[in-house]
Amino acid sequence: MKRIVIIGSSGGNLYNLGGKDPQKLLREIQLQAGSAGIEIAGVQFIAAEGSMDTAGGKTEAAVYSWKAEAGGIVVAFTGTLEECNQYVQSTDAELARQLTDGLVDGLISMSADPNGTNAQVVAAAVKKQIPIVGTGGTSMALISAKGANVLLTSGTTGTTNRTRAISFMTAFAKKWGLSYRPVIGEGKGTGTDTSAGSPWKRINIRGIMMSSLPGFIALALILALSKIPGLDMLSGVFDVLIKALPVVIAAIAAKQVSDMEEVSVVAGVLAGILSVDGGIIGGMIGGIGAGLLVNVLFRTCIEWKFPTTTVNIIAGGVSGLIAGLIVYYLLAPVALQAGEWVKVLIEGAVSYSPILAGLIAGLLIWPAIIGGVYHAAILPIVLLEMEKTGNSFLGAVDMVGLVMVSAGITLANMILPRDKSEATVAAPGFLINMGFGTFVEAAYPFMFSNKLVFAGAIASAGIAGMMVGVFDVRGTAYVPSVMAPLLSNSMLGFIAAMASGLICSLLITLIANQIAKKKAVQQADGKASA
């Protein structure tokens, strides 16, 4: 197994790009090193509580080192920056000896001081011609000038903890002929978990939609506020937000698919801006494409030995442009039409018979969420509806058929529980459903333990959905229950539909609990008489 040493400091520009959180910076290198099968032999890193561009000798600082027996990176010393420099100079000789004795195969340098604090380690690396990778324009230039065997050098601008670590390990892996797949996410402690290594495996439509939900709720809030007399000027803000939704979707998609921190976000935003004409489907396609391209271009540029700053610029900028332009010129009309078809299908069903459409949607919504279909299929349709109008027919069914029914079931178990302990379980679920418009799963324990409550939930949702059709309501969940009617197209109609779901499920659950309690009493009496 190849062994490396990490030296350097939190730096000047590096401080603003990850250096102020040394644990995270060093842990990312550890994670990627583990994936490449590279062992960390030592760490000599000084982290100041401020940029080295303005820090002085009295600035507070800490020295991070490597202790395998302690589980990795530890704080070895704290004090002023001057004291930390003196401490590192006293340990520099030991690290240099490891390099001289051939116990170290590579060196990572980040904003190091090759003529002072880290002089002995750098001198040993130069003498043994140990491969060096690193960032920090000034320090790497000084190291190169000493005749070092530099594999990869770059400034710090535009880099992130992850992109630096991946570029370091890619260079080492190519030099030593190692198999290396970058680890995305936190891994499993040692950095050897590469199951999420393929960007294709990280394409998750449901995850992208769920993460984008706050943007759609913001749209609904602006729509509601624009209806208040005197705030009609917000209708212009509503139009801007509708155009921004594809950008939100694209940025999240690129981040989730690539997970290369800020680089993937930039790529996603660029792709999203160019995908606006394709609606949220176009934004998603552009974002996914940008995320995939970020990984490809990043790795390719590293293999071509581009400076890390340039690698980030190409990976973030060019990936976003390519994916965005493909959507802009080729896919936007198709993506927009796909969204329109969904909207037309929903509107067609509602136009044919709004009561029947609401009833069917209400009856199916509990089986859908229990079976895992809701977040995969129904939620994306809700968001597609909201993209056009700011609220949704299925969104209204969600609120009245799931949230309100769950609230009714939990409320019933607060009023008349089968067992006193169930009231304690039910109370938080009721409060969250009413206060935040989510956590319908709070009703599961009561539904799954009593068939009548389960059937009552489905029936109540069907009745509430039918009421949505009666009043032709459009709305949304995921907001406080008192606010939900304000975000709908029919406040009184939405209140009536919400009340129907809550009251029906409340009454049915109260009856079910009473029957269950009587059965329990009868069984207890039977056992006593026996």
Side-chain angles (χ1 to χ4, degrees):
M1 179 177 282
K2 297 295 183 181
R3 306 176 80 235
I4 61 171
V5 164
I6 304 168
I7 64 170
S9 71
S10 51
N13 195 26
L14 177 62
Y15 180 82
N16 299 311
L17 296 169
K20 63 182 175 182
D21 188 353
Q23 287 279 10
K24 186 176 180 181
L25 181 152
L26 295 170
R27 191 163 53 245
E28 187 67 50
I29 296 175
Q30 179 188 358
L31 190 68
Q32 302 302 332
S35 179
I38 296 173
E39 180 183 348
I40 295 178
V43 173
Q44 184 176 273
F45 191 86
I46 300 175
E49 293 187 2
S51 171
M52 292 293 186
D53 292 336
T54 57
K58 301 301 181 183
T59 301
E60 292 297 315
V63 177
Y64 289 80
S65 65
W66 180 262
K67 298 290 183 184
E69 60 274 17
I73 300 157
V74 298
V75 177
F77 181 83
T78 59
T80 65
L81 183 57
E82 184 179 350
E83 291 169 342
C84 287
N85 285 332
Q86 292 173 357
Y87 175 84
V88 167
Q89 286 174 354
S90 68
T91 62
D92 199 36
E94 171 57 26
L95 276 181
R97 183 190 63 76
Q98 291 187 47
L99 270 68
T100 301
D101 292 346
L103 301 177
V104 176
D105 303 291
L107 180 69
I108 294 177
S109 170
M110 293 178 289
S111 299
D113 181 7
N115 292 331
T117 308
N118 310 114
Q120 295 183 68
V121 170
V122 172
V126 172
K127 184 177 180 179
K128 296 288 291 185
Q129 283 296 286
I130 290 174
I132 300 175
V133 298
T135 60
T138 302
S139 67
M140 289 304 297
L142 292 173
I143 291 172
S144 298
K146 294 177 182 292
N149 178 19
V150 177
L151 297 182
L152 176 74
T153 181
S154 174
T156 309
T157 302
T159 64
T160 69
N161 290 336
R162 178 156 297 163
T163 58
R164 281 191 298 273
I166 291 175
S167 64
F168 295 158
M169 295 310 139
T170 301
F172 279 140
K174 187 175 182 181
K175 170 70 176 178
W176 295 327
L178 303 176
S179 175
Y180 167 57
R181 172 174 286 180
V183 177
I184 303 301
E186 293 299 320
K188 292 183 179 177
T190 61
T192 57
D193 175 31
T194 58
S195 60
S198 171
W200 291 97
K201 294 180 181 179
R202 296 193 294 274
I203 298 175
N204 186 330
I205 306 301
R206 178 175 62 181
I208 294 168
M209 286 295 196
M210 282 297 295
S211 299
S212 305
L213 185 59
F216 290 85
I217 298 301
L219 182 73
L221 289 172
I222 289 297
L223 176 63
L225 290 173
S226 67
K227 295 178 180 178
I228 298 175
L231 295 179
D232 53 325
M233 78 286 290
L234 289 175
S235 59
V237 176
F238 178 80
D239 294 336
V240 172
L241 282 177
I242 283 183
K243 294 178 181 178
L245 289 177
V247 182
V248 173
I249 292 275
I252 290 172
K255 176 69 170 62
Q256 291 190 4
V257 171
S258 174
D259 203 10
M260 295 286 281
E261 298 179 320
E262 290 89 342
V263 174
S264 53
V265 174
V266 170
V269 170
L270 287 173
I273 291 171
L274 292 171
S275 304
V276 166
D277 290 342
I280 64 174
I281 293 179
M284 184 177 296
I285 295 171
I288 290 172
L292 294 171
L293 284 171
V294 163
N295 290 66
V296 172
L297 291 182
F298 185 89
R299 197 173 184 93
T300 301
C301 291
I302 289 294
E303 290 175 352
W304 289 350
K305 297 185 177 180
F306 285 13
T308 309
T309 298
T310 305
V311 172
N312 280 260
I313 292 171
I314 293 175
V318 176
S319 297
L321 286 175
I322 292 175
L325 288 171
I326 290 173
V327 176
Y328 185 84
Y329 284 112
L330 299 177
L331 302 179
V334 177
L336 186 63
Q337 188 59 51
E340 289 292 338
W341 284 337
V342 172
K343 183 171 177 283
V344 167
L345 182 63
I346 297 294
E347 289 181 345
V350 174
S351 298
Y352 176 75
S353 175
I355 297 175
L356 180 62
L359 175 62
I360 293 173
L363 291 173
L364 294 179
I365 200 160
W366 274 107
I369 195 168
I370 292 171
V373 177
Y374 173 83
H375 293 102
I378 296 178
L379 182 62
I381 295 174
V382 169
L383 299 187
L384 282 168
E385 282 191 89
M386 291 183 69
E387 179 193 19
K388 306 300 179 183
T389 60
N391 45 40
S392 158
F393 180 81
L394 286 179
V397 175
D398 182 339
M399 172 58 84
V400 305
L402 288 179
V403 178
M404 288 295 102
V405 168
S406 178
I409 292 171
T410 50
L411 179 60
N413 282 280
M414 292 168 61
I415 297 171
L416 185 65
R418 291 174 299 178
D419 184 84
K420 289 183 179 180
S421 62
E422 291 187 341
T424 305
V425 175
F430 173 76
L431 294 174
I432 294 173
N433 274 300
M434 296 300 292
F436 300 96
T438 185
F439 195 35
V440 301
E441 296 83 357
Y444 283 179
F446 313 107
M447 293 171 62
F448 295 152
S449 62
N450 190 312
K451 292 180 181 179
L452 182 55
V453 174
F454 191 100
I458 294 176
S460 299
I463 292 170
M466 187 170 62
M467 295 296 288
V468 168
V470 168
F471 293 103
D472 197 22
V473 175
R474 303 291 188 277
T476 182
Y478 301 100
V479 294
S481 58
V482 294
M483 185 182 294
L486 301 175
L487 306 183
S488 70
N489 64 329
S490 174
M491 186 169 67
L492 293 178
F494 204 20
I495 291 172
M498 289 171 65
S500 67
L502 189 147
I503 293 171
C504 285
S505 59
L506 171 67
L507 294 176
I508 294 172
T509 305
L510 287 173
I511 294 170
N513 285 356
Q514 190 64 25
I515 293 172
K517 288 180 74 173
K518 285 183 178 180
K519 272 187 182 179
V521 170
Q522 290 172 356
Q523 289 175 356
D525 290 343
K527 289 180 180 179
S529 60

